Amino acid sequence: MVYFEKKPYLNYLVVVILGILYTASFAPYNFKLSIYFSLTLFFYILFHSDKTRSIYLSYLFGLSVFSFGTSWIFNSLYDYGGENLIASLLVTIFLISFMSIFFIPLGMVVNKDIDIKKKFNFLMPASILVLMEIIRSNIFGGFPWLLIGTSQIGTIFNEFYPLFGTYFVSFLVILISFLITIIMIKKNTIKYFFILFFIFLSTSIVNFVEYDWSTDRKIKNNITIIQPNVNQRLKFNNNEIKAIKNKYVEIFKKDSLHDTILLPETAIPTIYENDKSFYKKHLLPYANHIIGGVFRYNNVTNETFNSILVLNGEEQFYDKRHLVPFGEYIPFKNLFIRIIEIFNIPMSNLSHGKQHQPRISFDDIFIEPLICYESAYPELIQTTDTEFSIIVNISNDAWFGNSLAPYQHLQISQSRALEFQRYLIRSANTGISAVINKKGKIVDSIPLNHEGTLNASIISSKGKTPYRYFGDYPVLMLIFSIMFFYFFTSNKYG
């Protein structure tokens, strides 16, 4: 079908195309079905390849996925890291090459030697790929980008996010794709048709029930989201600070703004303790509550934090816990000292916030705070049964330029709203700022690279979803159980 036995080099070209098709399922393209075509045809090629070739093809598939899906890494390094072309290319190639390694285990299992007649073998591809997604999301600071489950926001699997989370949706998508591949090669098709039917029947039942896991507050809250659209080259230029402040003052003076105002990450890129008077004298008179990003300095510990400030009659702070490796802190600093010198990235020596911090709130609504990259880590959200809350995500996606990243980042935020059934409000410097309801739907937004304000009425909710209770443990138990029985039966029957 798509396997070229006489011209095997053509299979490598096809795999590259399939990798591109994989990334097309994510925002901004949102061709939801393309990931099924990509995985199904990729599995078909692996089925006809020996183990060595399958490993090479799997690695190539990973290279294609990350080269086309995360090419914005180069934008960040080159445009805002000193415009060193060679260094930016080398680091980008290294990161993409490293992330692609996580596809290799798939080729070790799925090849012409796989015996799908054995129990549990048809479940192994989904188990392996999801396990690799989990490891990739956490190792060396983590990179939870282009998770297969994230691509399926707004599909028949929406009701599974608050039940089992994004990784479970990844598992279902991979399993369905592999079952279709098995049917294509005509091996015991009745059995696998029945399994496919069972999956879609279960999905239909879950969608029919459509249980609401959270309770909404009857009173709505009005909030204004500001997207200032400050160019990244100007943002950290000390000569432009006054102009940036003036921009905010002019925006705050508008009559159309609500009393609660949300600003993006590090809205004014100075140390807050040195600029308190500006917020209180020039901004607070126009608002009852200001929620926004600041750099907070602790003079006792001599640490600087990337923080969320809630300013009204008092100050409340949340310090970012999950920092961006190489962007906000340098892992293995002694090892990468030369890279630090080449890429003169501003504020790359920040400190991690404490894992347990006091809750921040406004108008009796608790905030589930996520700063930029933290939106990719659901374990940071601590919703409760008794406190009405919303998720607040502030970001500065200007680092990524006019690339796919801002759209992908917004899509990741949608999955958090779904998993915890909470409204999510998002302010990003250059976009995409948005209001997302608890079903993961974007209610309103400001386009990328546009200055603007967004007035919204938001609903806070209380209650825990099953995913909030159990996290990713059910998925991990499922994966390890499948792997245990796979290796047990493999050893038993030689």
Side-chain angles (χ1 to χ4, degrees), residues 127 130-131 134 171 474-484:
S127 300
V130 173
L131 181 60
I134 294 172
F171 186 92
V475 173
L476 285 168
M477 290 175 63
L478 173 66
I479 289 171
F480 286 122
S481 297
I482 291 168
M483 289 185 169
F484 171 79

Side-chain angles (χ1 to χ4, degrees), residues 103-116:
F103 279 95
I104 288 178
L106 182 66
M108 298 172 69
V109 173
V110 182
N111 50 66
K112 64 169 54 177
D113 296 329
I114 188 172
D115 186 359
I116 57 174

Side-chain angles (χ1 to χ4, degrees), residues 1-3 40-49 110-117 177-189 192-193:
M1 186 181 177
V2 294
Y3 184 77
T40 298
L41 297 179
F42 178 54
F43 288 142
Y44 187 90
I45 291 174
L46 295 185
F47 255 116
H48 292 83
S49 305
V110 182
N111 50 66
K112 64 169 54 177
D113 296 329
I114 188 172
D115 186 359
I116 57 174
K117 293 180 181 179
S177 301
F178 193 67
L179 290 172
I180 295 172
T181 304
I182 296 173
I183 293 169
M184 283 169 56
I185 59 177
K186 300 177 181 179
K187 292 192 176 183
N188 200 1
T189 55
Y192 296 109
F193 263 123

Side-chain angles (χ1 to χ4, degrees), residues 379-395:
E379 65 271 17
L380 299 178
I381 299 174
Q382 301 295 316
T383 53
T384 71
D385 287 324
T386 57
E387 299 170 339
F388 287 100
S389 65
I390 60 171
I391 302 172
V392 172
N393 176 216
I394 61 172
S395 188

Side-chain angles (χ1 to χ4, degrees), residues 167-203:
Y167 291 121
F168 183 74
V169 178
S170 291
F171 186 92
L172 287 177
V173 173
I174 301 163
L175 176 58
I176 290 169
S177 301
F178 193 67
L179 290 172
I180 295 172
T181 304
I182 296 173
I183 293 169
M184 283 169 56
I185 59 177
K186 300 177 181 179
K187 292 192 176 183
N188 200 1
T189 55
I190 296 177
K191 172 185 173 182
Y192 296 109
F193 263 123
F194 177 78
I195 296 171
L196 267 178
F197 172 77
F198 177 76
I199 291 172
F200 287 112
L201 178 63
S202 302
T203 302

Side-chain angles (χ1 to χ4, degrees), residues 383-438:
T383 53
T384 71
D385 287 324
T386 57
E387 299 170 339
F388 287 100
S389 65
I390 60 171
I391 302 172
V392 172
N393 176 216
I394 61 172
S395 188
N396 178 26
D397 289 351
W399 289 105
F400 307 131
N402 191 21
S403 68
L404 301 178
Y407 300 94
Q408 295 169 350
H409 204 178
L410 177 63
Q411 191 175 44
I412 290 170
S413 296
Q414 288 179 263
S415 63
R416 299 293 85 83
L418 258 177
E419 288 168 342
F420 295 89
Q421 290 209 332
R422 291 293 191 277
Y423 257 74
L424 186 149
I425 54 175
R426 186 173 196 269
S427 175
N429 174 23
T430 56
I432 303 168
S433 301
V435 177
I436 303 169
N437 68 18
K438 67 180 190 178

Side-chain angles (χ1 to χ4, degrees), residues 125-345:
S127 300
I128 289 171
L129 276 182
V130 173
L131 181 60
M132 291 301 103
E133 283 192 341
I134 294 172
I135 294 173
R136 173 166 62 83
S137 298
N138 293 278
I139 193 171
F140 302 133
F143 190 75
W145 225 264
L146 298 183
L147 302 181
I148 292 170
T150 305
S151 71
Q152 298 303 295
I153 300 290
T155 67
I156 58 173
F157 297 122
N158 265 20
E159 296 302 318
F160 283 105
Y161 290 89
L163 289 172
F164 305 113
T166 301
Y167 291 121
F168 183 74
V169 178
S170 291
F171 186 92
L172 287 177
V173 173
I174 301 163
L175 176 58
I176 290 169
S177 301
F178 193 67
L179 290 172
I180 295 172
T181 304
I182 296 173
I183 293 169
M184 283 169 56
I185 59 177
K186 300 177 181 179
K187 292 192 176 183
N188 200 1
T189 55
I190 296 177
K191 172 185 173 182
Y192 296 109
F193 263 123
F194 177 78
I195 296 171
L196 267 178
F197 172 77
F198 177 76
I199 291 172
F200 287 112
L201 178 63
S202 302
T203 302
S204 300
I205 293 171
V206 171
N207 277 280
F208 178 77
V209 174
E210 196 177 356
Y211 187 79
D212 195 344
W213 298 98
S214 61
T215 303
D216 295 339
R217 192 185 187 193
K218 294 181 180 179
I219 302 172
K220 291 184 178 182
N221 291 82
N222 295 325
I223 190 165
T224 296
I225 299 171
I226 292 178
Q227 182 170 299
N229 197 34
V230 177
N231 187 286
Q232 187 67 9
R233 294 184 185 277
L234 304 178
K235 188 176 176 73
F236 289 95
N237 184 337
N238 290 331
N239 297 325
E240 298 295 332
I241 296 298
K242 185 177 180 180
I244 293 172
K245 288 180 177 179
N246 289 337
K247 176 188 276 276
Y248 280 110
V249 171
E250 291 303 313
I251 295 174
F252 268 67
K253 286 181 178 179
K254 293 180 179 179
D255 294 332
S256 57
L257 272 58
H258 291 312
D259 291 334
T260 301
I261 297 176
L262 179 65
L263 304 177
E265 179 184 13
T266 58
I268 298 171
T270 58
I271 299 297
Y272 172 72
E273 283 71 18
N274 299 335
D275 247 338
K276 281 186 181 185
S277 60
F278 171 78
Y279 287 87
K280 293 180 178 180
K281 291 181 180 180
H282 299 284
L283 300 184
L284 197 55
Y286 300 98
N288 291 338
H289 309 280
I290 297 174
I291 307 167
V294 298
F295 287 121
R296 185 180 78 85
Y297 177 68
N298 187 325
N299 58 7
V300 176
T301 60
N302 193 31
E303 292 178 305
T304 303
F305 299 94
N306 186 352
S307 305
I308 288 178
L309 163 72
V310 179
L311 182 64
N312 35 49
E314 59 182 20
E315 298 171 338
Q316 303 171 65
F317 293 98
Y318 162 77
D319 300 326
K320 188 175 183 181
R321 289 170 283 176
H322 208 294
L323 301 180
V324 180
F326 300 103
E328 295 175 312
Y329 82 104
I330 308 299
F332 314 110
K333 199 166 185 177
N334 293 333
L335 182 63
F336 294 107
I337 188 66
R338 181 65 185 132
I339 294 177
I340 299 170
E341 293 172 354
I342 294 173
F343 298 108
N344 186 26
I345 299 174

